[in-house]
Amino acid sequence: MEVVLDNGEVVDVSLSEKFWTTCPELRSAVIGRWMLDLGVIPWAKGKPPEFDLEPIGDRIFGLALN
């Protein structure tokens, strides 16, 4: 799938087998750097930041800090 970050950067992300069941995480170094730039990592234990992931096309999603 493709993820369009709120800074306009487009990231190709592969979903793990467990994404739809027990591990709904998008894993990407690009997304990690984006989160660092936003200042949301590291976060307090048990209080991860919340993001909006909205479909914007076929297998394309927009990602923004909530």
Side-chain angles (χ1 to χ4, degrees):
M1 69 184 262
E2 287 186 336
V3 175
V4 181
L5 304 177
D6 63 1
N7 65 5
E9 192 166 4
V10 179
V11 184
D12 285 320
V13 178
S14 296
L15 301 180
S16 71
E17 288 182 27
K18 300 209 178 212
F19 178 82
W20 298 107
T21 56
T22 59
C23 189
E25 297 176 355
L26 299 176
R27 296 180 184 187
S28 161
V30 175
I31 293 174
R33 284 191 298 275
W34 171 73
M35 291 172 68
L36 280 169
D37 290 345
L38 289 176
V40 297
I41 51 178
W43 57 78
K45 184 177 180 179
K47 296 185 178 185
E50 292 185 15
F51 296 91
D52 290 322
L53 185 66
E54 300 286 334
I56 57 175
D58 185 34
R59 297 182 51 86
I60 304 170
F61 296 82
L63 181 63
L65 184 61
N66 184 355

